């Protein structure tokens, strides 16, 4: 019983003598715990995500979900399945859907800093001829009318190689036996995505 009383008095004395130090340490601990993620994001390097994809792909046949991170199309498809402006600010059909004219949005640039012009956008379709009347206009002439053509040009396009206009820029490409082994992507905030095939 004496031992219990001794330890109780010792504990009360210790707590009364160092109560401000203990309270301060408790408050600092709570602040660091709650604000740790914010503080670490400010002082640590950018976040890196690793993504694994099954399959073997050449550079010119990467999956659409990867290409859409790097590049944009003339249009994009919204949640309802309808085309919306992307690289093109507007479009119209002529000749009852056999000719499609797309006007590009101003001020867009490729990842290498060069401006997006009509002639720098490359789409290749069977039975479709492409004309560039000026630097902001692309005309697609189809052999037969095709009403959903704006959905077709929602696929990502590139000026050359994997130089696109999307949120992510191709930073490094590792190729083994003519197949892409790893693709490193980076965005403007310095975050990285490493895609391994």
């Amino acid at each position: 019983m004496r031992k219990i009383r001794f330890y109780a008095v010792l504990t009360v004395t210790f707590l009364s003598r160092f109560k401000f130090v203990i309270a301060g340490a408790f408050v600092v601990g709570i602040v660091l715990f709650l604000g740790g993620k914010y503080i670490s994001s400010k002082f640590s390097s950018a976040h890196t995500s690793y993504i694994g994809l099954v399959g073997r792909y050449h550079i010119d046949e990467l999956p659409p979900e990867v290409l859409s991170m790097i590049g944009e199309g003339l249009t994009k498809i919204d949640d309802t399945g309808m085309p919306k402006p992307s690289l093109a600010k507007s479009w119209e059909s002529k000749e009852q859907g056999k000719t499609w004219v797309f006007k590009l949005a101003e001020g867009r640039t490729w990842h290498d800093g060069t401006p997006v012009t009509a002639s720098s956008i490359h789409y290749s379709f069977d039975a479709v001829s492409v004309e560039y009347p000026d630097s902001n206009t692309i005309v697609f002439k189809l052999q037969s009318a095709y009403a959903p053509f704006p959905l077709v040009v929602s696929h990502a396009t590139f000026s050359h190689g994997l130089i696109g206009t999307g949120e992510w820029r191709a930073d490094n490409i590792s190729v083994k036996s003519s197949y892409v082994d790893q693709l490193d992507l980076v965005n403007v905030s310095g975050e990285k995505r490493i895609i391994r095939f």
Side-chain angles (χ1 to χ4, degrees):
M1 190 69 161
R2 271 179 115 178
K3 268 188 173 181
I4 294 173
R5 184 176 288 152
F6 171 75
Y7 286 118
V9 170
L10 184 64
T11 302
V12 169
T13 307
F14 178 81
L15 289 176
S16 64
R17 184 167 182 180
F18 295 106
K19 62 185 168 195
F20 294 113
V21 174
I22 293 169
F26 181 75
V27 170
V28 168
I30 293 293
V31 168
L32 289 176
F33 177 76
L34 296 177
K37 186 174 184 180
Y38 175 77
I39 293 169
S40 66
S41 69
K42 292 295 179 189
F43 295 105
S44 67
S45 61
H47 179 70
T48 301
S49 300
Y50 294 91
I51 301 168
L53 292 178
V54 177
R56 296 177 68 178
Y57 302 96
H58 296 285
I59 291 177
D60 58 349
E61 55 185 32
L62 288 170
E65 59 269 17
V66 173
L67 296 177
S68 66
M69 288 190 273
I70 306 167
E72 298 171 89
L74 288 173
T75 63
K76 60 184 174 185
I77 302 171
D78 68 13
D79 294 338
T80 65
M82 297 300 295
K84 296 182 79 170
S86 187
L87 290 178
K89 64 180 178 183
S90 64
W91 58 89
E92 64 176 327
S93 76
K94 297 180 178 180
E95 299 174 2
Q96 295 158 349
K98 288 178 71 174
T99 299
W100 290 88
V101 180
F102 290 83
K103 293 287 187 182
L104 298 183
E106 293 87 11
R108 298 297 304 268
T109 58
W110 299 105
H111 288 147
D112 64 0
T114 59
V116 174
T117 61
S119 59
S120 67
I121 293 176
H122 304 290
Y123 281 110
S124 178
F125 304 115
D126 292 336
V128 177
S129 65
V130 184
E131 296 175 1
Y132 308 101
D134 59 58
S135 63
N136 287 323
T137 308
I138 303 175
V139 179
F140 296 93
K141 294 193 172 187
L142 291 66
Q143 289 183 353
S144 58
Y146 190 64
F149 189 74
L151 297 173
V152 175
V153 291
S154 66
H155 296 289
T157 184
F158 303 92
S159 67
H160 57 276
L162 286 178
I163 297 176
T165 57
E167 178 186 356
W168 297 89
R169 176 179 52 84
D171 189 45
N172 186 41
I173 303 168
S174 172
V175 177
K176 288 184 181 173
S177 301
S178 79
Y179 292 102
V180 178
D181 182 55
Q182 181 173 307
L183 177 60
D184 299 352
L185 305 178
V186 65
N187 67 9
V188 291
S189 62
E191 292 180 78
K192 292 183 180 179
R193 285 187 180 174
I194 298 175
I195 302 172
R196 292 180 178 152
F197 298 91

